[in-house]
Amino acid sequence: MKTHLISILSIFLFIGCTGKDEPITVPSEKHCLNDKTKSIIDITTAEKQVVTERIHLTGSIEYNPDNVTHFVSLVDGIISDTYFSLGDSVKKGQVLAEMQSVELSSLQAELHSLEAQIAVAKVDLRATEQMFKDGISSNRNLIETQNSLRILESKKLKVENNLALYSASPTKNVFQIKAPASGFITAKNINSGTTVTDEGDPLFSISNLQQVWAMANIYSTDVAHISKGMEVEIQTLSYPDQIFRGKIDNISEVLDQNAKVLKARILLDNEDFRLKVGMIADIFALKKSDKQRVVVPISCLMFYNGNNYALVYHDDCDIEVREVTIQTKGNGIAYLESGLDENEKIITKNHLLILEALNN
């Protein structure tokens, strides 16, 4: 239906009085847009796009388990101090906690004993070497003395390596627990006074959150429409105006027993760390068809009496109110079934003001 220069106010008054759908009267006199009016409008050329259905899924942000380091104690002991909290950013090698342990006392005592034995063994070796030169001692005695010293030095090196592995502090008499990797603390299971064992649960976990997972819930009604490789758009309450984009990397084959849904995994880059673990997300899977339709911004359409209209611009003195039919819509745009052709121009800003100006 094509009608030139229709006033919305005239439509409201006319139909409001009659209570019936009557033919719309078209003013016979044309009105042209002046420079001031043209400065407040935007004119867009209609284009065709592939029809894309947006399937709404719910989900949440989770850390990527492939980038998580769990720290397990190698010895028994008691935590004396902690220097980190859940969510803290830490660097590799940073001291996160200190632990008192009888293992430390045992290793230090063994080290002191070995150092004393090595000192004696060195004296014995010098004496044996001198006796060997004087012909008093045999070559076998010399080799045995040398081997005894090497064995003691090997045992000492092993103890020193263990002390280094446990990050023993020579001044505080404690084992220092250091961050094995850089990242963020995503789990913490210790506090001052906590007793730990070498067979217990991880003391803490560190995750590199530069990549995270968005885990989407696929309900039974959507299973047939969601597939691996589909592009998705993700929005969160924290950043409602920002869209995070990714692709479905994997879909589980087994229903989650609690939620009764399939889980879809989306890998997301998170270099600015805006996405936080635990965030609730709206996830839109983009199902593309093989059809193309003319698209227009939803905001430029006018709804009246059950129909949608757009302002079609031909020239400054020829603006048409055109009825259009919407096939589907989403993400701020409408795919039109009919009413508008490709490359036609439409007014997308202040269109209601233009209608009023044309009527006046």
Side-chain angles (χ1 to χ4, degrees), residues 47-54 230 285-295 326-330 333-337:
E47 298 178 347
K48 280 189 175 182
Q49 292 183 13
V50 173
V51 178
T52 302
E53 181 184 358
R54 301 174 85 238
M230 288 182 69
L286 306 182
K287 183 181 179 182
K288 297 182 179 180
S289 70
D290 56 354
K291 297 180 180 180
Q292 288 190 333
R293 291 288 184 266
V294 173
V295 297
I326 297 176
Q327 176 180 336
T328 186
K329 56 186 177 180
I333 62 174
Y335 296 88
L336 301 184
E337 183 70 33

Side-chain angles (χ1 to χ4, degrees), residues 79-331:
I79 302 298
S80 55
D81 287 293
T82 59
Y83 305 106
F84 69 100
S85 299
L86 190 64
D88 282 355
S89 172
V90 298
K91 300 295 183 181
K92 183 177 181 179
Q94 179 179 338
V95 177
L96 302 183
E98 293 177 344
M99 180 175 63
Q100 296 176 337
S101 173
V102 295
E103 183 74 16
L104 176 58
S105 301
S106 176
L107 288 174
Q108 288 176 333
E110 184 177 358
L111 179 61
H112 295 155
S113 175
L114 288 171
E115 288 174 341
Q117 294 178 57
I118 289 172
V120 173
K122 288 181 177 179
V123 173
D124 289 343
L125 178 59
R126 287 195 294 268
T128 304
E129 288 174 340
Q130 185 60 46
M131 287 187 292
F132 177 75
K133 290 178 181 180
D134 295 339
I136 302 175
S137 177
S138 66
N139 186 49
R140 178 175 179 177
N141 288 338
L142 177 61
I143 293 174
E144 288 178 348
T145 305
Q146 290 172 337
N147 289 338
S148 297
L149 178 58
R150 292 194 187 100
I151 291 172
L152 292 173
E153 289 176 336
S154 177
K155 290 181 178 179
K156 178 190 174 186
L157 180 62
K158 179 181 177 181
V159 173
E160 289 175 338
N161 289 339
N162 286 338
L163 288 170
L165 177 65
Y166 304 149
S167 298
S169 171
T171 57
K172 292 187 176 182
N173 198 33
V174 294
F175 287 138
Q176 293 180 322
I177 299 174
K178 298 181 179 181
S182 298
F184 294 86
I185 301 295
T186 57
K188 177 185 178 183
N189 301 313
I190 57 171
N191 291 294
S192 296
T194 301
T195 300
V196 299
T197 66
D198 59 354
E199 297 179 353
D201 295 329
L203 306 186
F204 56 85
S205 299
I206 298 175
S207 176
N208 178 358
L209 297 180
Q210 290 185 340
Q211 281 189 332
V212 294
W213 285 357
M215 299 300 295
N217 301 317
I218 305 176
Y219 292 91
S220 300
T221 54
D222 294 321
V223 168
H225 306 291
I226 306 297
S227 60
K228 181 179 178 180
M230 288 182 69
E231 296 180 357
V232 298
E233 295 178 347
I234 299 172
Q235 292 178 291
T236 63
L237 291 175
S238 301
Y239 311 107
D241 298 327
Q242 182 173 359
I243 296 177
F244 302 90
R245 291 179 170 83
K247 290 184 178 181
I248 295 178
D249 180 61
N250 185 61
I251 299 176
S252 65
E253 298 295 335
V254 181
L255 285 174
D256 183 276
Q257 294 301 313
N258 296 323
K260 302 300 181 184
V261 295
L262 291 179
K263 292 287 187 178
R265 182 181 69 205
I266 301 131
L267 184 63
L268 297 173
D269 290 329
N270 190 37
E271 293 183 358
D272 55 2
F273 303 115
R274 303 195 79 185
L275 294 172
K276 313 297 183 184
V277 173
M279 276 184 172
I280 302 300
D282 287 314
I283 301 172
F284 298 92
L286 306 182
K287 183 181 179 182
K288 297 182 179 180
S289 70
D290 56 354
K291 297 180 180 180
Q292 288 190 333
R293 291 288 184 266
V294 173
V295 297
V296 297
I298 294 176
S299 59
C300 79
L301 297 180
M302 300 167 289
F303 183 78
Y304 173 73
N305 200 29
N307 298 316
N308 290 283
Y309 298 87
L311 279 184
V312 181
Y313 175 89
H314 298 290
D315 58 49
D316 289 351
C317 296
D318 188 3
I319 298 175
E320 176 188 348
V321 177
R322 181 86 60 80
E323 181 181 346
V324 298
T325 303
I326 297 176
Q327 176 180 336
T328 186
K329 56 186 177 180
N331 198 28

